[in-house]
Amino acid sequence: MSPAQGVRDRLEALLFEAIAAVDPAAAVRSAVARGAERLEIVGEALPADSRLIVLAVGKAAGSMTGAFEELAGRQLAGGLLVVPDGVAAKSTKLSVQRAAHPIPDARCARAGRAALDLVSSAQPDDVLVVLLSGGASSLLSCPVSGVSEADLAATTGSLLRAGASIDELNAVRKHLSCVAGGRLAAHAASRRIEVLAISDVPGDRLDVIGSGPLAGDPTTYCDALDVVSKRGAGTTLPEAVRAHLEAGARGEIGDTPAPGEPCFQRVRSHVLASNRTAVAAAHAAADRWGWRALALPPDFRGEARVAGRRLAALGLAVRDAVPVCLIGGGETTVTVRGDGSGGRNQELALAAAVELDGSAAVSLLAAGTDGIDGPTDAAGAYADGGTLARGRAQGLDARNALDENDSHGFFDREGGVLRTGPTGTNVMDLVFVYAGSRNPN
């Protein structure tokens, strides 16, 4: 094994340590307990005779459901489980549906309508338990009247290509959905609602996780239009979407339920795991290995290529110190200008590789904790000072690939692509920058 391969192997091991720390089933078991007579959720007992209705949706929903079913026992009366394609999911009591992510399709609309039917048909004394995780915004995309499923898909795709952040994207999607922005809570008949969430958003905001189906929405139709204008997506917006948002901004359509409205008084929400959990686990692992681990600023964001250049510069700045590993998490964005294939982590890594060209002392690994990076089969990529040379040996031009947003095409042939497969969880992205000795042991 080459010294460089040793660094890569250690960084990948660090990634898997972090992912293991945000295992959804373990998170549910830490929050839910079966007492002698009653089930307890985050320290509060449920009535012994109450029926439990479960809505589980997102990339982590399969694992969360499995753990909750074991604990709930006979009280679990049924419910709905919605997961993306490729994510393992099975249940003995819940109806299982699959839908598309990140661009919604007709199955997402059906799942959204099924979720509305489920929560509205529950009895007042039933306890509604919602197991929420990243991906729910797309999976429960049930468009409002006058907006088609194709309109919603086109809008989502346009904003993603324009580099919209998750907050910006959700500000628009909430105002086009019958489920998001607190509207699911407004439809729910249960007097008690427990939300257990795995956070995939900066700041772990409940109104942003899954587009906040059971949280008050602080954004308005005017905010949604501001996002469209800021991202230059106005010319690509379907006419039905534009008309709906403008009508809402004029006050002709009721806005999403705001924080503090009565429908949210029944809701108790808990974030069980987040990016911070994963980052802390990575720090602990690095400490066990005897590495000097330093924290990057929390919730890094912005353009992926800009973040990649900055992270490479940080690595180069500390390379003459004792070996050190910089650890951070967050979620960048990509403004698509080329015709290539990639994802935000691969683009970040490729931009870093350009800056690191020829350096023998800095390595970087960037990956999505869900195992999915954009519309590719990769989780992310590894880069070091030899990345560009390995690419040139394959006839590749890294700078041209970056211009074309073709980071996946580059790393797939160069060898830096990282494939984990879907991990069954999602707490945004992780990045590790190792600087110093080529022997990490």
Side-chain angles (χ1 to χ4, degrees), residues 390-413:
R390 292 190 294 271
R392 285 191 289 269
Q394 297 294 323
L396 303 173
D397 183 328
R399 290 175 175 81
N400 181 67
L402 195 58
D403 289 342
E404 292 298 318
N405 299 114
D406 194 26
S407 55
H408 182 69
F410 178 90
F411 281 119
D412 192 35
R413 292 178 59 190

Side-chain angles (χ1 to χ4, degrees), residues 38 54 99 105 110 116 191 228 259 265 269 280 295 353 373 407 439:
R38 300 186 179 190
V54 171
D105 62 8
R110 288 196 294 271
L116 288 169
R191 285 193 288 259
V228 171
Q265 294 177 5
S269 299
D373 190 35
S407 55
N439 182 359

Side-chain angles (χ1 to χ4, degrees), residues 88-99:
K90 62 180 181 180
S91 173
T92 58
K93 293 190 176 180
L94 274 62
S95 171
V96 180
Q97 294 190 25
R98 295 188 178 276

Side-chain angles (χ1 to χ4, degrees), residues 35-434:
E37 297 181 356
R38 300 186 179 190
L39 191 71
E40 292 184 358
I41 296 182
V42 193
E44 288 197 11
L46 304 181
D49 58 350
S50 62
R51 295 195 326 154
L52 303 181
I53 306 297
V54 171
L55 171 63
V57 56
K59 297 177 183 178
S63 297
M64 295 178 80
T65 297
F68 189 81
E69 280 193 3
E70 293 174 3
L71 294 161
R74 295 179 181 178
Q75 282 186 267
L76 180 54
L80 175 66
L81 168 58
V82 186
V83 295
D85 294 322
V87 173
K90 62 180 181 180
S91 173
T92 58
K93 293 190 176 180
L94 274 62
S95 171
V96 180
Q97 294 190 25
R98 295 188 178 276
H101 179 274
I103 306 298
D105 62 8
R107 296 175 299 163
C108 300
R110 288 196 294 271
R113 288 190 289 269
L116 288 169
D117 290 343
L118 175 72
V119 303
S120 62
S121 63
Q123 298 301 309
D125 289 336
D126 292 341
V127 177
L128 174 62
V129 179
V130 180
L131 307 176
L132 187 66
S133 56
S137 298
S138 174
L139 298 173
L140 294 186
S141 295
C142 183
V144 295
S145 177
V147 175
S148 70
E149 296 156 7
D151 291 335
L152 196 54
T155 301
T156 302
S158 177
L159 289 171
L160 286 172
R161 289 189 296 273
S165 68
I166 186 64
D167 299 48
E168 293 172 333
L169 183 60
N170 282 357
V172 176
R173 291 194 292 198
K174 288 177 185 180
H175 292 89
L176 302 174
S177 169
C178 295
V179 176
R183 285 174 167 153
L184 193 68
H187 281 85
S190 300
R191 285 193 288 259
R192 182 167 181 175
I193 303 172
E194 298 280 348
V195 180
L196 303 179
I198 305 290
S199 172
D200 68 328
V201 302
D204 305 332
R205 287 172 48 193
L206 291 164
D207 65 291
V208 181
I209 301 171
S211 289
L214 293 118
D217 181 16
T219 69
T220 65
Y221 280 104
C222 291
D223 293 325
L225 284 173
D226 285 345
V227 170
V228 171
S229 176
K230 175 184 175 181
R231 290 298 172 181
T235 58
T236 58
L237 208 64
E239 184 54 38
V241 169
R242 181 195 306 280
H244 180 81
L245 295 180
E246 290 178 346
R250 292 192 299 268
E252 298 171 9
I253 301 172
D255 217 321
T256 48
E261 292 198 16
C263 62
F264 302 118
Q265 294 177 5
R266 307 166 289 160
V267 181
R268 204 168 66 113
S269 299
H270 320 275
V271 175
L272 307 185
S274 69
N275 189 264
R276 298 178 190 185
T277 313
V279 168
H283 271 272
D287 288 341
R288 289 198 308 272
W289 298 345
W291 287 10
R292 183 186 180 196
L294 298 178
L296 291 166
D299 293 340
F300 67 81
R301 60 185 76 186
E303 280 287 329
R305 63 182 61 201
V306 175
R309 290 196 293 266
R310 289 175 177 170
L311 290 168
L314 281 173
L316 292 169
V318 300
R319 61 182 165 174
D320 294 329
V322 295
V324 61
C325 186
L326 309 177
I327 300 173
E331 187 168 292
T332 60
T333 56
V334 174
T335 301
V336 179
R337 298 182 177 88
D339 296 323
S341 173
R344 58 182 179 263
N345 289 290
Q346 292 165 89
E347 180 146 325
L348 184 155
L350 185 55
V354 171
E355 300 300 312
L356 297 175
D357 191 22
S359 169
V362 181
S363 304
L364 176 145
L365 181 75
T369 55
D370 58 356
I372 303 166
D373 190 35
T376 74
D377 63 349
Y382 168 85
D384 60 25
T387 294
L388 266 63
R390 292 190 294 271
R392 285 191 289 269
Q394 297 294 323
L396 303 173
D397 183 328
R399 290 175 175 81
N400 181 67
L402 195 58
D403 289 342
E404 292 298 318
N405 299 114
D406 194 26
S407 55
H408 182 69
F410 178 90
F411 281 119
D412 192 35
R413 292 178 59 190
E414 176 271 336
V417 70
L418 171 65
R419 292 182 174 90
T420 64
T423 64
T425 191
N426 183 27
V427 293
M428 297 192 290
D429 304 329
L430 294 170
V431 63
F432 309 116
V433 182
Y434 181 86

